[in-house]
Amino acid sequence: MIGDRSDRTTAPRRRELSDLYATVLEVVKRYRGVARITRVSYGAGMPVDRLRTFVDRLLALGLLRTEELDGRPVYDITARGQEFLDTYWKMRAYVEVLEPPLEERGRRRR
Amino acid sequence: MEGDLRVDHNTIIEVDGRLVVSGTARFEGRSQILGDLECGSFDADEAEVQVDGGLVVHGDVRARDSRVEVGGPLSARGIDVDKSLKIGGPATAEEIEVGGELEGRSTLSARSVSVGGRFRLGGKLTAQKVEAGGSVDLAEVDLESLQVGGVIHLAGGAVRRSIEVGGKFVSEAPLTFGSLEVGGVAQLRGSSKGGSIEVGGMFSADRDLTFDSLEVGGLGSILGNADGGDVEIGGKFEVRGSVTLRGSLEVGGAISVDEGLVGTKAEIGGKLKARRAIFTGSAEIGGAAVTQDGLKASRLRLQRKARATGPLVGDDVEIDSKAQVEDVYGGRVELRDRAEARNVYARSVKLGDGASADAVQYTDTLEMGRDCRCRTPPQKVASLPNFPL
């Protein structure tokens, strides 16, 4: 999952809200326009009821779009959603550089 | 056994050797097979199936809302599992699709592998196409293309066509690749060779790197030698060894090269630092040029208020206003208004208003603006000293 481990030399990060939204967007993106809610829930490691609140928020923000396929809703990422992912990953890269390595953090704690 | 096998909830099947089912093995609920299973096709619905031995499926594995765990080897034509698939032994299939998590302790060989969430494999992965939405942890790979939404670690190998990663890409050992496109961070450990590299955030290679083009939005570092075509870095670029480019170099911030830097054209927004830098075409430096042996370009321009340490050499050298440089060697050298130089050696020299130099030697022409200062009178000479580089 996104955010659960940044590197072998750094401590696991607690998943923040932005990590969860990015996880959902990445999983939806992989299904290329035919992502069903159950499949996204397996991919994102999130129960369907909790996932629905994330998907609703992403739809409201225009980062996801939905349509009916065989009578069931399927989801796809929008250009704006892709822009969010591009920015998110770039920002994660900068944040990672700013964070001290694990051993340095350990020394500081001691 | 002939025909189909139906396995209901909470069933344990003890097998003496191998259970062979000519038709379909169907599972519902939780079940365990204490041995090997061979069947025509494998079908599970809202099930948790554990096969302690190997699993051979002549047709497809279909597992809706199910988890499947195989202790030994697995072979099937197609595999489609909704929740998770765990495999203890080597696995082969034409297509593998897992909605949630795929975990293998041995090798995996398939035409395509698609995983919605996490994908971990302990042995070599051989496939044409691999896609995963979440995090991926692989050993050696032999692939045509790789697409990952989140974070991927792999232990080197070959990806002949493209690697596309949304978040972070780490190769722990030498890697060859067609192209590498990463949104966040890319780290190459071990000497690597590839085509185009495009990284949104940070890029690092801890050994030598050979590439066609390198484009990094933020910071780039190479702890060995760099050999490639074009380089475009938004922020800062550090190289411990030498840099040899067949194309152009564009750096928004600073570039630091411990050894020599060779290219055709350079545009540096900030500072260039290298033992020596040679460009066959033009070089434009915005902030500072610091070299031990010198900076040479066919057309060399230091922008306003720039600083240079080490000799500058060029057919056509322009030192913009208020810039400060040391020795300059050229065909035509111009020091613009209030620019300062130590020694100038050129065929033609032009000094702008208020420009100053310790000494000027020229063979053809000298033009001087108002209030120019030369500590020693400019000398017209028959020949100039040998240029460095």
Side-chain angles (χ1 to χ4, degrees):
Chain A
M1 292 315 128
I2 293 166
D4 61 353
R5 181 183 78 163
S6 57
D7 193 2
R8 284 171 182 158
T9 54
T10 55
R13 279 177 67 241
R14 189 166 167 264
R15 287 171 93 187
E16 294 170 359
L17 211 54
S18 59
D19 301 324
L20 297 171
Y21 281 116
T23 301
V24 173
L25 286 170
E26 285 289 4
V27 175
V28 168
K29 182 182 153 188
R30 202 185 62 78
Y31 286 102
R32 294 188 182 88
V34 291
R36 294 190 192 283
I37 195 86
T38 48
R39 279 269 160 149
V40 178
S41 98
Y42 301 140
M46 214 183 271
V48 171
D49 54 349
R50 189 167 181 229
L51 175 64
R52 281 193 200 284
T53 62
F54 281 82
V55 166
D56 288 346
R57 184 83 178 123
L58 289 167
L59 286 168
L61 291 168
L63 306 184
L64 283 184
R65 64 169 160 259
T66 183
E67 60 180 27
E68 294 266 316
L69 185 71
D70 301 331
R72 287 196 293 180
V74 291
Y75 301 92
D76 195 8
I77 190 169
T78 62
R80 208 167 154 194
Q82 184 56 53
E83 197 181 320
F84 169 89
L85 282 178
D86 292 343
T87 309
Y88 166 83
W89 285 118
K90 207 177 228 185
M91 193 62 207
R92 277 281 305 271
Y94 284 99
V95 169
E96 193 170 302
V97 169
L98 295 173
E99 284 174 350
L102 190 58
E103 57 269 27
E104 198 175 311
R105 269 182 273 174
R107 278 200 300 275
R108 280 185 191 177
R109 278 191 210 105
R110 284 197 291 273
Chain B
M1 61 176 283
E2 284 298 317
D4 296 345
L5 168 71
R6 181 176 164 155
V7 182
D8 278 341
H9 300 265
N10 298 322
T11 304
I12 296 176
I13 301 174
E14 288 192 29
V15 178
D16 185 13
R18 170 177 290 222
L19 171 61
V20 179
V21 179
S22 66
T24 301
R26 293 182 203 283
F27 298 87
E28 273 184 34
R30 185 174 292 183
S31 57
Q32 186 176 5
I33 294 172
L34 305 174
D36 297 334
L37 172 64
E38 180 179 344
C39 56
S41 58
F42 182 107
D43 198 279
D45 201 352
E46 294 186 22
E48 285 184 27
V49 183
Q50 186 179 331
V51 179
D52 286 359
L55 175 61
V56 175
V57 182
H58 297 290
D60 297 333
V61 173
R62 294 273 173 266
R64 285 171 295 280
D65 299 321
S66 300
R67 300 177 196 279
V68 177
E69 187 172 346
V70 180
L74 165 63
S75 74
R77 188 175 59 194
I79 297 173
D80 187 347
V81 176
D82 271 356
K83 285 184 178 170
S84 73
L85 173 63
K86 294 184 179 178
I87 312 159
T92 56
E94 285 179 25
E95 288 183 15
I96 299 177
E97 186 166 346
V98 178
E101 185 177 352
L102 172 59
E103 189 180 327
R105 285 198 287 274
S106 183
T107 58
L108 194 155
S109 179
R111 197 175 63 225
S112 71
V113 181
S114 173
V115 182
R118 182 179 293 177
F119 177 21
R120 290 179 182 187
L121 191 69
K124 185 176 178 179
L125 173 62
T126 306
Q128 287 182 15
K129 186 176 172 188
V130 174
E131 292 179 334
S135 67
V136 177
D137 204 334
L138 302 175
E140 187 189 351
V141 298
D142 182 356
L143 311 174
E144 285 294 320
S145 68
L146 174 64
Q147 201 174 350
V148 177
V151 176
I152 173 165
H153 282 80
L154 55 83
V159 183
R160 279 174 288 280
R161 288 172 64 191
S162 60
I163 302 170
E164 286 175 43
V165 180
K168 181 173 180 176
F169 175 85
V170 180
S171 175
E172 303 282 358
L175 180 76
T176 57
F177 54 92
S179 64
L180 173 65
E181 194 180 326
V182 181
V185 177
Q187 295 176 347
L188 299 176
R189 295 170 184 158
S191 297
S192 296
K193 188 175 181 179
S196 66
I197 301 170
E198 204 179 320
V199 181
M202 313 290 163
F203 171 79
S204 67
D206 74 350
R207 301 282 169 83
D208 294 348
L209 179 70
T210 304
F211 55 90
D212 289 338
S213 64
L214 173 64
E215 193 179 330
V216 180
L219 309 180
S221 72
I222 297 171
L223 302 187
N225 301 308
D227 187 333
D230 299 319
V231 171
E232 195 178 330
I233 309 286
K236 192 175 174 186
F237 187 38
E238 289 181 331
V239 182
R240 289 274 169 83
S242 63
V243 176
T244 307
L245 301 178
R246 293 179 300 282
S248 62
L249 170 69
E250 275 181 51
V251 180
I255 175 170
S256 168
V257 180
D258 284 3
E259 300 298 328
L261 166 60
V262 174
T264 59
K265 186 182 167 193
E267 274 180 46
I268 313 294
K271 182 177 175 180
L272 179 150
K273 183 172 177 285
R275 182 181 292 276
R276 80 184 65 85
I278 300 173
F279 300 98
T280 53
S282 62
E284 192 165 336
I285 312 294
V290 178
T291 59
Q292 286 175 285
D293 301 344
L295 165 61
K296 181 181 178 180
S298 176
R299 184 174 184 277
L300 178 58
R301 182 173 179 222
L302 263 76
Q303 291 178 352
R304 189 173 180 272
K305 289 187 174 177
R307 299 282 183 272
T309 305
L312 302 176
V313 185
D315 298 331
D316 191 350
V317 182
E318 283 180 20
I319 310 299
D320 220 331
S321 58
K322 295 185 181 175
Q324 292 178 2
V325 302
E326 295 182 346
D327 296 346
V328 186
Y329 301 81
R332 189 190 77 86
V333 173
E334 180 178 354
L335 297 187
R336 293 201 171 153
D337 297 352
R338 295 168 70 186
E340 295 174 24
R342 198 160 62 185
N343 300 305
V344 178
Y345 308 97
R347 202 175 58 243
S348 301
V349 177
K350 184 176 179 184
L351 303 180
D353 296 346
S356 66
D358 286 357
V360 174
Q361 289 187 6
Y362 63 98
T363 56
D364 291 3
T365 59
L366 171 67
E367 282 181 61
M368 296 180 72
R370 286 172 297 170
D371 304 323
C372 288
R373 284 173 293 134
C374 289
R375 289 193 184 190
T376 57
Q379 273 186 295
K380 184 167 186 176
V381 294
S383 64
L384 297 167
N386 286 335
F387 289 4
L389 301 172

